Amino acid sequence: MTDVLATPAPAANLDATDLAIVAAISQDARATLAQLSDTVGLSVSAVQARLRRLETRGVIAGYRPILDAEAVGKPLSAFIEITPLRLDQPDDAPELLEHLAEIEGCYSIAGQASYMLFVRVASPRELERLIRDIRLAASVSTRTTVVLQTFYEHRPIVPAR
């Protein structure tokens, strides 16, 4: 996976061609330079230069495969809200939980909880173990919602115009 650590540019700084390239690769990140060239009407070398610039600017933050969770042995997914046990404790839960590979996403949220975690595990027993590990590592209380069925995820991000 290629991760570029840069501050993303606002959509207002992207011209119509950049937006077309971003839209095309959000639909198919494996599109070839020739396919992108046909889509946006530029030469292959011009598309390659623009892609490189979009990566450097952080507009394109990386590329990664989308795996079938069941096929790789992690069919159980859940959302876990975490709330600090004490109001005076440091707000460092993301750092304290970063080592737990089962956590795919950590989101700061508004409401009673401080963070929402998205996790994938192999079984209910593994979920129980993970919840225990989260509570111990970050001194938090948890509220878990198990996902029964996913209708869609990993939808392409359509650039704002």
Side-chain angles (χ1 to χ4, degrees):
M1 180 166 119
T2 302
D3 279 336
V4 180
L5 299 176
T7 304
N13 291 339
L14 301 177
D15 65 19
T17 303
D18 287 339
L19 288 171
I21 290 170
V22 170
I25 65 166
S26 73
Q27 293 288 325
D28 180 7
R30 294 184 68 181
T32 66
L33 291 172
Q35 289 169 323
L36 293 172
S37 172
D38 289 343
T39 300
V40 300
L42 293 178
S43 69
V44 169
S45 60
V47 169
Q48 186 174 30
R50 281 182 178 257
L51 272 175
R52 197 170 300 129
R53 190 168 51 248
L54 290 165
E55 291 167 352
T56 301
R57 290 173 55 197
V59 175
I60 300 171
Y63 303 89
R64 68 180 225 172
I66 298 172
L67 304 177
D68 181 308
E70 272 191 57
V72 296
K74 292 194 172 184
L76 179 59
S77 55
F79 293 96
I80 302 174
E81 293 180 3
I82 62 172
T83 306
L85 291 176
R86 297 182 337 271
L87 293 175
D88 65 338
Q89 74 188 64
D91 185 14
D92 57 358
E95 293 83 10
L96 295 172
L97 300 173
E98 193 171 16
H99 70 283
L100 298 171
E102 299 90 348
I103 301 174
E104 281 191 26
C106 176
Y107 310 93
S108 177
I109 60 172
Q112 280 189 300
S114 297
Y115 296 94
M116 176 76 74
L117 309 175
F118 179 72
V119 304
R120 288 189 200 268
V121 293
S123 67
R125 185 169 299 224
E126 284 296 308
L127 180 58
E128 185 176 32
R129 180 204 51 77
L130 178 61
I131 291 168
R132 184 193 68 236
D133 291 349
I134 289 168
R135 288 175 179 164
L136 290 173
S139 279
V140 293
S141 64
T142 60
R143 181 171 164 233
T144 303
T145 303
V146 172
V147 175
L148 299 177
Q149 185 175 357
T150 301
F151 293 97
Y152 48 83
E153 64 182 350
H154 308 296
R155 296 175 89 180
I157 296 174
V158 179
R161 296 214 181 261

